[in-house]
Amino acid sequence: MKSIVDVAANPSTRPAVVRDVVALIDSEVDRKGGLSGMAIKTVYKVVKALKNGTMIPDVVNGLLDEFCAAIEPIHATFRASGTGSFATYLQNNRTAAVNALLATTDARAHRTTNQTLKKSYEKLRPMAETNVGEALPGLGRLIDRHCA
């Protein structure tokens, strides 16, 4: 099994990883319900429309190395265990995985000069732990698929 850092760094596999991460985000946003889901969908629609529809893929591509570096220690421990799926492993190590991923986005949001993105992130951040946690199985399957 390959390292997610190596897969993301490889120019022949990176575009597929970016596409799959964007599809995962789209899927996670689409399945949100209720008032908070409506808020997430509204903000996501605004962000998705920026830069002629390339904002989400551009952001994913720009953050991919940081996300991979953040999740790699967890993935390395999983690879060393040699058992199960990474999706299950992430669910069993939810707190560590969520904290690693959110530390990346928190740092990036803090550094951004784009006020629309910053304000949107600040509004959605209180729900982020739940939303990222819900996305972990899909993320684990995505990583399993690309690192096999």
Side-chain angles (χ1 to χ4, degrees):
M1 181 172 281
K2 301 174 210 161
S3 154
I4 187 62
V5 171
D6 293 340
V7 171
N10 185 329
S12 67
T13 54
R14 187 180 185 94
V17 173
V18 170
R19 275 192 307 274
D20 285 354
V21 171
V22 170
L24 175 63
I25 295 167
D26 287 345
S27 172
E28 288 296 318
V29 169
D30 283 346
R31 64 184 201 88
K32 299 297 177 199
L35 291 176
S36 63
M38 195 174 354
I40 291 169
K41 288 176 182 180
T42 299
V43 171
Y44 187 69
K45 183 177 179 180
V46 169
V47 172
K48 196 171 180 175
L50 297 172
K51 291 177 64 179
N52 294 322
T54 65
M55 179 59 93
I56 300 298
D58 289 352
V59 169
V60 167
N61 190 53
L63 286 170
L64 188 61
D65 295 328
E66 293 172 61
F67 278 131
C68 290
I71 206 74
E72 177 57 28
I74 298 167
H75 191 238
T77 303
F78 162 73
R79 289 192 316 269
S81 75
T83 60
S85 72
F86 193 49
T88 301
Y89 191 84
L90 284 177
Q91 287 177 292
N92 292 337
N93 295 276
R94 178 186 173 113
T95 300
V98 167
N99 288 340
L101 294 169
L102 288 178
T104 300
T105 55
D106 289 347
R108 183 59 70 103
H110 180 73
R111 293 189 312 260
T112 189
T113 58
N114 184 319
Q115 292 306 306
T116 300
L117 286 177
K118 186 176 251 182
K119 287 179 183 180
S120 297
Y121 186 80
E122 289 169 358
K123 286 180 183 175
L124 295 175
R125 180 56 175 90
M127 298 178 276
E129 286 183 31
T130 300
N131 292 320
V132 172
E134 291 172 355
L136 288 177
L139 178 63
R141 287 188 297 274
L142 185 155
I143 292 171
D144 278 339
R145 189 169 54 252
H146 285 282
C147 292

